[in-house]
Amino acid sequence: MDRRQQKTRDAIFDAFGMLLTEKSFSKITVQEIIDAANVGRTTFYAHFPTKDDLLREMCAEIFDHVFSDAPRAENTHDFSANGRDTTTAVTHVLYHLRDSRKNILGILSSESGDLLLTFFRQYLNKSLAMRMLDGVRPADSVPMDFLVNHISGSFISMVQWWVENGLRETPEEMARYFMSVTDPILSVGNM
Amino acid sequence: MDRRQQKTRDAIFDAFGMLLTEKSFSKITVQEIIDAANVGRTTFYAHFPTKDDLLREMCAEIFDHVFSDAPRAENTHDFSANGRDTTTAVTHVLYHLRDSRKNILGILSSESGDLLLTFFRQYLNKSLAMRMLDGVRPADSVPMDFLVNHISGSFISMVQWWVENGLRETPEEMARYFMSVTDPILSVGNM
DNA sequence: TCGATATAGAACATAATGTTCTGTAAATAT
DNA sequence: ATATTTACAGAACATTATGTTCTATATCGA
């Protein structure tokens, strides 16, 4: 990719991320973005047809980065019975979220957080579905994709709670909370 | 309240609800609302300072109605151990959501659904906190409000899944799914 | 070095927002 | 029933944001 393209893309992402911590997505104007990013109006529209596309692409980039080097659970069956692999994976993702240079949690706690969490949830559903399919059996004739959706939702809820409470807990603590509400579910039908 | 006020308020709510099933909140213009509601421009702004206020007030009205005649669990301790009260309460709310004249689920499945679910979640957190406080003890030193948030989130996730899957299940089935993923959590520390 | 392309900047058309005015109809109070 | 108050419609308006089109310039890759 042309260095110029990458440069303006980064500049727009940085400016947009900063603005998102200050005000809600819907109240941010294209003018503000291009002023903060110091790029021309035409340049912006050359990169992103709409503001929605900008958000979508930035989310994809963030989540790809957050999950790219997360330790994959080697033993997928370890998803239950207080799987150590799962705990460390969750912890790792939480550290990433908290310490990201892009101030992800700042964005999540803003008025636009829900919008971002929607993408997050879709992302989780997809990647969880692949991991869980062979490791866990549905319990009590509860559909598998219901379970997957429930686990993704639980993760999102946890992050929301964590952010809204001022990140007082360590990622390790949060991972333990998470396991304590998801492990009993997954253990039931899985032996 | 002046009958005229109530009339225009209803007209605006109806028009807005209909539009929400067609397009996303952010793409709906005030002009479209007042055309569909057949009210004057000034009238709209006299009732709702912004489009956001309109959404907020409509949500409040909907949720108040949905929960107003939900059977309250007499025995709050019954929240665990497959509490029958809780199951029927959940079932009742799901029926309300599905069969509401205002097409709530149509709105929830639209692009604006997340916005609405945010209000829903806040509403649930508040009303759940009151019900659970004396009935359930936290397990494993997991904070009470974390648990409350988890249950609310689980409910929201369930509704999202239900809607996205085309409402194929009955409210009774969904309530059973819900209990199967929340009951193991609540039973642990509660005896 | 040269051709291709990304960019800046200005100017522009279009469309949405929110306000202000006037006259009219409908509610409530007496 | 009449008077008074209040809500409303409709139009006109200023303001602001969006998205496009143009030209000129600077930077990239080969």
Side-chain angles (χ1 to χ4, degrees):
Chain A
M1 179 184 260
D2 195 316
R3 292 178 215 160
R4 291 172 294 182
Q5 287 186 35
Q6 190 60 53
K7 208 178 118 193
T8 59
R9 193 179 164 87
D10 287 344
I12 289 174
F13 278 167
D14 282 350
F16 185 51
M18 198 187 60
L19 285 167
L20 274 174
T21 66
E22 295 171 4
K23 58 206 309 194
S24 87
F25 172 76
S26 62
K27 295 205 192 308
I28 295 172
T29 67
V30 173
Q31 193 63 49
E32 289 172 315
I33 299 172
I34 65 182
D35 284 347
N38 198 33
V39 299
R41 187 167 194 74
T42 37
T43 306
F44 176 88
Y45 283 108
H47 280 259
F48 307 101
T50 71
K51 229 172 54 183
D52 288 61
D53 291 295
L54 168 58
L55 181 67
R56 212 184 325 279
E57 291 201 31
M58 197 172 81
C59 287
E61 203 152 283
I62 287 175
F63 296 148
D64 279 341
H65 178 252
V66 165
F67 288 100
S68 62
D69 58 343
R72 294 192 73 82
E74 306 266 323
N75 176 10
T76 50
H77 292 71
D78 207 8
F79 239 107
S80 64
N82 254 317
R84 201 167 51 82
D85 280 3
T86 305
T87 308
T88 58
V90 169
T91 307
H92 189 267
V93 168
L94 290 177
Y95 266 114
H96 248 290
L97 286 175
R98 196 187 63 178
D99 302 330
S100 157
R101 171 186 140 275
K102 297 222 178 198
N103 188 20
I104 301 173
L105 294 183
I107 299 174
L108 286 183
S109 66
S110 74
E111 282 186 59
S112 320
D114 303 302
L115 208 50
L116 232 134
L117 286 172
T118 300
F119 292 115
F120 204 174
R121 181 170 145 269
Q122 291 167 357
Y123 197 102
L124 276 178
N125 266 341
K126 254 177 48 184
S127 79
L128 257 184
M130 295 192 308
R131 291 198 190 190
M132 283 178 63
L133 271 177
D134 53 346
V136 180
R137 270 215 320 272
D140 291 340
S141 68
V142 171
M144 190 62 198
D145 56 332
F146 175 85
L147 272 187
V148 168
N149 185 74
H150 172 74
I151 302 298
S152 296
S154 298
F155 190 87
I156 300 293
S157 295
M158 170 188 62
V159 173
Q160 281 183 306
W161 181 86
W162 194 34
V163 168
E164 285 165 10
N165 276 32
L167 303 174
R168 279 201 295 271
E169 292 77 8
T170 63
E172 282 83 1
E173 273 181 301
M174 292 311 297
R176 187 172 64 75
Y177 293 176
F178 181 72
M179 294 309 287
S180 81
V181 292
T182 54
D183 197 60
I185 311 300
L186 295 173
S187 317
V188 177
N190 181 39
M191 211 69 7
Chain B
M1 179 184 263
D2 196 315
R3 292 177 217 158
R4 291 170 294 181
Q5 287 187 36
Q6 190 60 54
K7 210 178 116 194
T8 58
R9 192 180 165 88
D10 287 345
I12 290 174
F13 278 166
D14 282 350
F16 185 51
M18 198 188 58
L19 286 167
L20 274 175
T21 66
E22 296 171 4
K23 56 204 315 190
S24 86
F25 172 75
S26 63
K27 296 205 191 309
I28 295 172
T29 67
V30 173
Q31 192 62 49
E32 289 173 315
I33 299 173
I34 66 182
D35 284 348
N38 199 30
V39 300
R41 187 167 195 74
T42 38
T43 307
F44 176 88
Y45 284 107
H47 281 259
F48 308 100
T50 70
K51 231 173 53 185
D52 287 62
D53 291 295
L54 168 57
L55 181 68
R56 213 184 324 279
E57 290 201 30
M58 198 173 79
C59 286
E61 203 152 283
I62 286 175
F63 297 147
D64 278 342
H65 178 252
V66 165
F67 288 99
S68 62
D69 59 341
R72 296 192 71 82
E74 305 266 324
N75 176 10
T76 49
H77 294 71
D78 209 7
F79 239 108
S80 62
N82 255 316
R84 201 167 53 81
D85 279 3
T86 305
T87 307
T88 57
V90 169
T91 306
H92 189 267
V93 169
L94 291 176
Y95 266 114
H96 248 292
L97 287 175
R98 196 187 63 177
D99 303 329
S100 157
R101 172 186 141 274
K102 296 223 177 199
N103 189 19
I104 300 173
L105 295 183
I107 300 174
L108 285 183
S109 66
S110 74
E111 283 185 57
S112 321
D114 303 301
L115 207 50
L116 232 134
L117 286 172
T118 300
F119 293 115
F120 204 174
R121 181 170 144 270
Q122 291 167 356
Y123 198 102
L124 276 176
N125 266 340
K126 252 177 50 185
S127 79
L128 257 183
M130 294 192 308
R131 292 200 192 190
M132 284 178 63
L133 271 177
D134 53 346
V136 180
R137 270 218 318 274
D140 290 341
S141 67
V142 171
M144 191 60 199
D145 56 332
F146 175 85
L147 272 188
V148 168
N149 185 74
H150 172 73
I151 303 298
S152 295
S154 299
F155 190 88
I156 300 292
S157 295
M158 171 187 62
V159 173
Q160 281 182 306
W161 181 85
W162 194 35
V163 168
E164 285 166 10
N165 276 32
L167 302 173
R168 279 200 296 271
E169 292 77 9
T170 64
E172 282 83 2
E173 272 180 300
M174 292 311 298
R176 188 171 63 76
Y177 293 175
F178 181 73
M179 294 310 286
S180 80
V181 291
T182 54
D183 197 61
I185 312 301
L186 295 173
S187 316
V188 177
N190 181 40
M191 210 67 8

